[in-house]
Amino acid sequence: MTRKTKKTATAETVRDNIAYAAARPVLSVLVPFLRDDPLALLEALDQEADITQGAVEVVLLDDGSADAALAARVDAGVARAKLPVRVVRLTENEGRARGRNRLATHARADVFLFLDADMRPDNRRFLQAWLDVIALDDPAVAFGGFSLKHASRESAFAVHRAMAEKAECVPWYERARAPEKFVYTSNLLVRRDAFQAEAFDRDFAGWGWEDVEWGMRVARRFSVRHVDIPATHLGLDTVESLAAKYESSVGNFARVVSRHPEVVRGYPSYRAAQLLKKAPALPAWRPLLKRAALARLLPTAARAFSLRLYRAALYAEAV
């Protein structure tokens, strides 16, 4: 079924598959994408359709890809899926925060699972494991964790892999020591009442920090749990792409610093930015850090260190 909603700031088109209407989901899996194909993730989730028996629905948000070929592939994949699936397609890009807020308005369950389109479950009982958490504890917020189990080992992504292994692929018991810090929308369970109390800040633009900032706010009002239900982050970036994301995230980092200074002061990225801010002629030699990160002849560890310093040098503008 396809229908158009009433006009809003950004027009949307909605398409449901045949399983959608009759389902009474306990869990809504919310997946935004922009020019990425979400079908591999949908197919992985769909392997649990017979086990979950209508308890899980998937809502996909095409955040303004404007790609007719991709849209046709997604529609065909959704039609094949046994899970109840809705596709929401936007005419213009809204961005990460607004897009996820919009996804929540389409969810029918009282619990949401935010997943990025480039994630893959690490085991075949991924959805069932989340359903078990809901049935046993019904947490307001829970993060399942990252891994790189299925991620590429190509040399082009070696720097990002090294950085992710160090900073993001953290066991649940270590994440639990600073629960608000390790909140990413790539594998995040949120109860409806918690999300209604604290939605994503729609004024974030560009890349990064909107989920971490949300975690800081929500942790003041609700308990944030960390569990061991990991999914692989397949979307490793080249150094060039990662550097571009850092460059676009400075404004978002500044917004977090202004809203949560007491929390951010404890972050290594903040402390490094403060130190670099005092360095003479920082804008003049900052590009050298990026050049070192791009230098393929250097060891991966040295390139990763240079890229972290480059990010801190960018963030020095915001502290």
Side-chain angles (χ1 to χ4, degrees):
M1 178 185 76
T2 303
R3 64 178 174 84
K4 289 190 176 181
T5 63
K6 63 183 179 181
K7 287 187 176 181
T8 58
T10 301
E12 66 175 28
T13 300
V14 176
R15 180 184 292 271
D16 303 331
N17 72 354
I18 196 169
Y20 182 86
R24 298 295 180 267
V26 174
L27 175 64
S28 295
V29 180
L30 308 180
V31 182
F33 66 96
L34 175 62
R35 293 186 288 276
D36 291 325
D37 192 333
L39 288 184
L41 172 60
L42 178 60
E43 290 166 1
L45 297 175
D46 205 45
Q47 293 178 13
E48 296 190 62
D50 292 338
I51 300 172
T52 56
Q53 297 182 331
V56 178
E57 69 174 3
V58 178
V59 185
L60 304 174
L61 175 72
D62 183 342
D63 194 6
S65 296
D67 184 332
L70 175 61
R73 289 198 305 275
V74 170
D75 287 347
V78 167
R80 291 192 301 269
K82 292 185 288 183
L83 284 171
V85 185
R86 163 167 285 187
V87 182
V88 181
R89 189 163 287 119
L90 304 185
T91 57
E92 299 176 5
N93 176 253
E94 283 195 317
R96 295 158 61 93
R98 295 187 184 196
R100 291 188 175 95
N101 287 345
R102 184 185 290 265
L103 273 167
T105 68
H106 285 273
R108 295 180 294 174
D110 285 332
V111 185
F112 314 149
L113 178 64
F114 288 99
L115 275 178
D116 284 347
D118 60 0
M119 301 296 288
R120 298 294 180 277
D122 277 4
N123 63 71
R124 295 182 180 180
R125 288 181 56 83
F126 177 78
L127 295 177
Q128 187 58 56
W130 277 120
L131 289 173
D132 290 344
V133 167
I134 295 167
L136 290 172
D137 298 319
D138 192 26
V141 181
F143 181 62
F146 282 152
S147 88
L148 296 175
K149 181 178 179 180
H150 304 297
S152 171
R153 292 191 172 274
E154 292 182 36
S155 59
F157 308 118
V159 172
H160 193 184
R161 171 179 278 275
M163 295 175 70
E165 286 176 340
K166 180 180 179 65
E168 297 175 358
C169 300
V170 180
W172 70 268
Y173 49 86
E174 292 186 16
R175 288 186 261 120
R177 295 171 187 162
E180 81 290 337
K181 181 178 179 180
F182 296 98
V183 174
Y184 307 111
T185 48
S186 308
N187 187 12
L188 180 68
L189 191 81
V190 186
R191 208 169 58 210
R192 181 181 293 275
D193 63 304
F195 196 79
Q196 288 175 336
E198 296 288 350
F200 290 104
D201 182 347
R202 58 188 286 116
D203 291 330
F204 274 86
W207 181 85
W209 291 98
E210 80 286 342
D211 46 3
V212 176
E213 191 277 336
W214 178 85
M216 293 174 184
R217 279 188 285 119
V218 81
R220 293 171 179 168
R221 303 178 63 174
F222 299 92
S223 175
V224 178
R225 282 199 55 198
H226 286 272
V227 296
D228 187 24
I229 311 177
T232 293
H233 179 209
L234 294 179
L236 294 178
D237 288 305
T238 63
V239 171
E240 292 90 339
S241 296
L242 206 52
K245 287 181 175 180
Y246 292 156
E247 289 159 4
S248 74
S249 73
V250 175
N252 286 354
F253 181 71
R255 188 170 181 82
V256 176
V257 171
S258 67
R259 297 190 66 178
H260 307 279
E262 72 290 348
V263 179
V264 182
R265 285 192 194 105
Y267 284 20
S269 54
Y270 179 88
R271 294 197 298 268
Q274 276 199 316
L275 288 173
L276 289 175
K277 188 178 182 69
K278 301 173 184 176
L282 176 61
W285 57 264
R286 183 167 52 204
L288 298 178
L289 296 171
K290 182 177 179 179
R291 192 176 303 171
L294 291 167
R296 297 184 180 181
L297 293 180
L298 290 178
T300 297
R303 296 176 69 194
F305 179 70
S306 297
L307 190 55
R308 286 194 294 272
L309 280 181
Y310 178 64
R311 178 179 60 193
L314 290 168
Y315 288 175
E317 299 176 2
V319 300

